Amino acid sequence: MPETSVKIEHRYLELPDSFYSRVKPTPLKDGRVVCFNAPLAEDMGFRAEKPEDWAGVGSGAELLEGMDPVAMKYTGHQFGVYNPELGDGRGLLLWETLGPDGRRWDWHLKGAGMTPYSRFGDGRAVLRSTIREYLCSEAMAGLGIPTTRALFMVSAKDPVRRESIETAATLLRVTQSHIRFGHFEFAARHQGEEALRALLEHVINLHFPHLAELPEQERYRRWYEETVERTARLIADWQAVGFCHGVMNSDNMSIIGETFDYGPYAFLDDFDAGYICNHTDQGGRYAYNRQPNIGFVNCQYLANSLLPVMEEDDVRRGLRCYETAYNQRFLGNMRRKLGLTRETDDDLTLIMDTFSMLHEHHIDYTLFFRGLSNLHSQGNAPVRNLFVDRSVADAWLERYQSRLQQEEIVGDERERQMRATNPKYILRNYLAQQVILEARNGDYQPMERLLEVLKRPFDEQPGNEAFAAPPPDWGKHLNISCSS
Ligand code: AMP
Ligand code: MG
């Protein structure tokens, strides 16, 4: 089935064998391909005419020549507590392919059955969580935020026990690398220096080739700095679109700085700085406003893992890059959202006051910034009407308009740029919930339609306005748990 322009590799298997276990998928019954990402398949060098041909692979019933599935071993900190027992408990790395543009793709079948790292789990993923991951990875890609991708999903009849009985599904998740911070924690704590070096060199050679020729200490130092910076920038991008990950454990942190492992995530509707999207996270460790700090804590876990092979001073210096990279990216993102191209000293105060106002008055985060992106063409009403107390909006708008006086790019041109950064369409929880209910009845059209909308989140899309609506009452406080 692979095209001639595709090269098959399995470079992960070059790591010491402690990093994986060979495991065959446990097949699902009557699996069928219900969503297939044709444009992505084509980018990867695969023909997309017959998605149903992938049902065998997706159900775990068939392996293509060259596939050699393994469960990856990693450990990590979960809610601040180290857990040595982690690893792919329900996903398998099938192979790696190189597309026509030379890009590497890991193929990971999530929900493929039990592995030596399943602990108490059944190795399965339910339809609900598989749809949620598919939707959100594609929504993130549409927003231009680094993320794993969804190539296709399979839905099957096998029952899976969660809070109630649900049905099984699998996701063929693809990305340049499935290596996590937790891989480094595993190597450093349990395997020793040689394994750690092997992992580090592997990651640099495959994913940071521009550093590969540097002398060793410089290579490691620059790599760590870059990894820290990518992580900081990723989280600044999440903050800017109001994304809450929900389970920022170090085993869910991608070493190449992508959004990784979508569980109980959410995009903010009404702005709430302390929003906790995961109802099992009672202490709010991963609340929206704690994400930047948690990103730093995860970089510290990674730092500790690197001490056996790096100078302590270099690690410390690398860690310091986090704050600088985060602040710079965050400020840049927020300036763009407000349409401020000239930098003034008061910008940070304006930004922080804006957040306080949105929080205090429970203003829909996405509609607010989209409204600002249309002030010139649509007037103040779309922004004002978000406020119960219009005088708050008026005072803020007056301050904002006076700040805009200092801008050189004005009117339509500024707002065109703002619309390219303030999405109209985001994956609100209630939208995901609706397509899940339809999919459970066997109808995947609504999911396909939502995916089409989320591909172009910055476009106006006449006819699709309903997808930009704030949640109806039933959709405001959906409980999203870790159970997936
Ligand atoms: P998460 O926090 O969802 O990324 O999962 C943490 C760990 O639990 C990972 O090692 C997963 O592979 C494993 N896990 C999650 N759900 C299951 C399941 N249903 N069966 C086996 N392992 C699981
Ligand atoms: Mg995980």
Side-chain angles (χ1 to χ4, degrees), residues 74 110 180 251-252 261:
Y74 49 85
K110 186 166 179 177
R180 307 146 188 259
D251 57 305
N252 289 338
D261 254 14

Side-chain angles (χ1 to χ4, degrees), residues 36-37 39-41 43-44 46 54 67 92-97 103-110 133-134 137-138 141 146-152 171-178 256 258-262:
F36 189 87
N37 195 337
L40 177 60
D43 279 355
M44 293 170 63
F46 290 82
W54 292 97
M67 284 181 173
L92 297 173
L93 180 66
L94 300 179
W95 63 3
E96 295 154 43
T97 59
R103 251 192 309 172
R104 172 176 306 279
W105 295 98
D106 273 9
W107 292 49
H108 177 98
L109 186 63
K110 186 166 179 177
E133 176 150 3
Y134 195 123
S137 41
E138 294 313 297
T147 178
T148 58
R149 302 293 303 272
L151 183 59
F152 62 82
L171 177 70
L172 203 304
R173 176 169 75 187
V174 296
T175 167
Q176 271 68 64
S177 175
H178 275 77
I256 55 171
E258 290 181 337
T259 316
F260 194 32
D261 254 14
Y262 293 90

Side-chain angles (χ1 to χ4, degrees), residues 154-185:
V154 160
S155 166
K157 303 239 168 80
D158 307 56
V160 180
R161 183 183 292 276
R162 295 293 179 260
E163 279 96 355
S164 60
I165 305 289
E166 303 189 42
T167 58
T170 61
L171 177 70
L172 203 304
R173 176 169 75 187
V174 296
T175 167
Q176 271 68 64
S177 175
H178 275 77
I179 294 180
R180 307 146 188 259
F181 284 19
H183 276 80
F184 284 81
E185 297 180 87

Side-chain angles (χ1 to χ4, degrees), residues 73-77 82-86 182-183 185-186 190 251:
K73 174 61 191 172
Y74 49 85
T75 62
H77 282 80
Y82 183 69
N83 184 347
E85 303 296 331
L86 299 173
H183 276 80
E185 297 180 87
F186 165 67
H190 308 279
D251 57 305

